[in-house]
Amino acid sequence: ACKNSLKRTGTGQLNGRSEMLLGKFVKEYPGSTRLRNQIHIATKLAAYPWRLTPSQWVGACKNSLKRIGAEKISMAQLHWSTARYAPLQERLMWDGLVAIYEEGLVDAVGLSNYGPKQLQRIHSYLSRRGVPIASVQIQYSLLSRGKLQEEAKAACDDLNIAMIAYSPLALGMLTGRHAPDDDSTYPSLPNPRSLLFRQIVPEAGPLFQVMREIGENRNKTMSQVAINWCLCKGTIPIPGARNLNQAQSNLGALGWRLSDGECRELE
């Protein structure tokens, strides 16, 4: 379902409002019934400290279904792992995923922000319970492809799990709007991203130049090149969009592929 769905919309909002908005969108979608049926909503279930028993996870999932206005969710993802700070809760959360799957509340379960070692552990546990993992969502982009990301990608490939790449535009750094030599184009304080931009963007000039050249040769934007690179790496990128123009621009990353040589230049 995750790999083949035509439309995917995920929501990580913890207050449920985005689920209600997505449910309203699906209900009022003016297109054909065929296209409406191809819209798949993926949501996340937060690892709250009081969410322990399987029945509590089932209750949380049913609340999401009510907000969305659906009988079943295409995919429910565990929002984060508690292995480092609450290891006892971690196993209980896995049982929660088993419960919502066995209850028939979801078509598939997924994970978010899981590293390669913990991914292997949960995959082994859920496999014994007959629950497949459809996807793992991690931060992945041309500016976020370190050892941990590559190990997670290799684990996903080995286990036949789709990898969803969130922030494929690196918080907007890969859009071409921010100049390495002009910090006036960066987010300003007190925006918490300000310092991050000042650390990363000035060093990314050579990458930006290659992206710009490839984009000019292909009549594509830097954003489209960045998203397409994620596609070429076998991931499912989920770029953000604040308006219709950005959403339409993101679609320009589809229908073509960077060459192997272009990918090597970018890397």
Side-chain angles (χ1 to χ4, degrees):
C2 181
K3 290 183 178 179
N4 299 322
S5 61
L6 176 65
K7 308 285 186 184
R8 303 180 194 88
T9 306
T11 167
Q13 294 291 338
L14 301 181
N15 59 11
R17 175 167 169 73
S18 52
E19 289 177 330
M20 290 185 284
L21 291 173
L22 286 168
K24 184 174 185 291
F25 166 77
V26 173
K27 183 178 180 181
E28 299 177 359
Y29 179 66
S32 67
T33 300
R34 180 182 64 84
L35 287 179
R36 183 184 295 109
N37 291 339
Q38 290 178 313
I39 298 173
H40 295 274
I41 295 179
T43 193
K44 293 196 179 93
L45 299 176
Y48 291 132
W50 59 83
R51 197 170 278 171
L52 299 172
T53 67
S55 63
Q56 288 174 311
W57 286 92
V58 168
C61 192
K62 287 182 176 179
N63 287 336
S64 288
L65 285 168
K66 289 178 182 178
R67 288 189 290 266
I68 295 170
E71 295 181 358
K72 183 181 282 192
I73 298 173
S74 295
M75 183 167 66
Q77 298 167 290
L78 187 56
H79 205 157
W80 64 83
S81 169
T82 66
R84 289 188 177 182
Y85 64 90
L88 295 179
Q89 184 187 7
E90 179 77 4
R91 183 62 61 89
L92 296 172
M93 294 193 305
W94 299 356
D95 290 334
L97 291 179
V98 172
I100 64 173
Y101 186 80
E102 291 181 342
E103 286 267 346
L105 303 177
V106 298
D107 288 323
V109 301
L111 308 171
S112 184
N113 299 306
Y114 266 70
K117 293 181 180 179
Q118 196 66 357
L119 173 58
Q120 294 280 356
R121 295 187 185 101
I122 188 172
H123 177 268
S124 177
Y125 185 81
L126 293 185
S127 293
R128 292 195 299 269
R129 303 291 296 274
V131 180
I133 299 173
S135 69
V136 178
Q137 182 173 319
I138 67 170
Q139 187 173 359
Y140 191 76
S141 73
L142 281 165
L143 288 176
S144 183
R145 54 183 184 88
K147 181 180 179 182
L148 184 62
Q149 284 87 355
E150 294 304 330
E151 288 179 351
K153 178 66 172 62
C156 287
D157 292 342
D158 289 342
L159 300 173
N160 194 31
I161 297 173
M163 193 175 97
I164 299 176
Y166 76 80
S167 197
L169 298 178
L171 304 176
M173 294 183 218
L174 295 172
T175 62
R177 297 195 301 268
H178 309 286
D181 57 353
D182 183 4
D183 62 8
S184 68
T185 64
Y186 306 165
S188 57
L189 292 171
N191 189 319
R193 295 180 178 179
S194 177
L195 294 178
L196 189 62
F197 271 64
R198 282 165 169 74
Q199 291 173 349
I200 297 176
V201 174
E203 305 297 324
L207 170 63
F208 292 172
Q209 182 60 32
V210 173
M211 293 176 66
R212 192 171 292 108
E213 291 174 357
I214 291 175
E216 290 174 353
N217 291 335
R218 288 184 169 272
N219 195 29
K220 297 293 180 180
T221 66
M222 287 178 60
S223 295
Q224 291 164 351
V225 170
I227 297 169
N228 192 269
W229 176 85
C230 289
L231 290 168
C232 290
K233 302 302 287 186
T235 72
I236 302 172
I238 49 171
R242 295 186 177 182
N243 53 55
L244 179 60
N245 287 337
Q246 289 182 0
Q248 291 174 330
S249 176
N250 289 342
L251 293 176
L254 303 177
W256 59 283
R257 280 290 189 273
L258 292 163
S259 68
D260 291 344
E262 289 170 327
C263 286
R264 286 193 294 271
E265 284 186 73
L266 290 167
E267 296 166 12

